[in-house]
């Protein structure tokens, strides 16, 4: 994963109260999937 992805993923994981989603040794593709999943989850929570 890129440095940018790591920073984004860590921030989103904290915001979504799911720190376990952040792992240091992810591939770029897996990091992108987790980032999108967390963004979707946060957007859903914000819609209520």
């Amino acid at each position: 994963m890129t440095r940018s992805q790591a920073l984004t993923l860590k921030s989103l994981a904290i915001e979504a109260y799911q720190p376990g989603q952040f792992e240091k040794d992810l591939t770029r593709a897996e990091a992108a999937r987790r980032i999108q999943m967390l963004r979707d989850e946060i957007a859903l929570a914000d819609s209520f």
Side-chain angles (χ1 to χ4, degrees), residues 14-32:
I14 291 168
E15 184 179 346
Y17 300 101
Q18 295 187 26
Q21 289 294 327
F22 178 78
E23 297 175 20
K24 292 181 180 181
D25 297 326
L26 297 175
T27 65
R28 288 181 180 171
E30 181 59 29

Side-chain angles (χ1 to χ4, degrees), residues 4-7 9-11 13-17 25 33 35 39 42 44:
S4 176
Q5 283 179 313
L7 294 171
L9 182 56
K10 188 167 190 164
S11 175
I14 291 168
E15 184 179 346
Y17 300 101
D25 297 326
R33 280 192 291 274
I35 288 168
R39 283 183 174 153
I42 291 167
L44 179 62

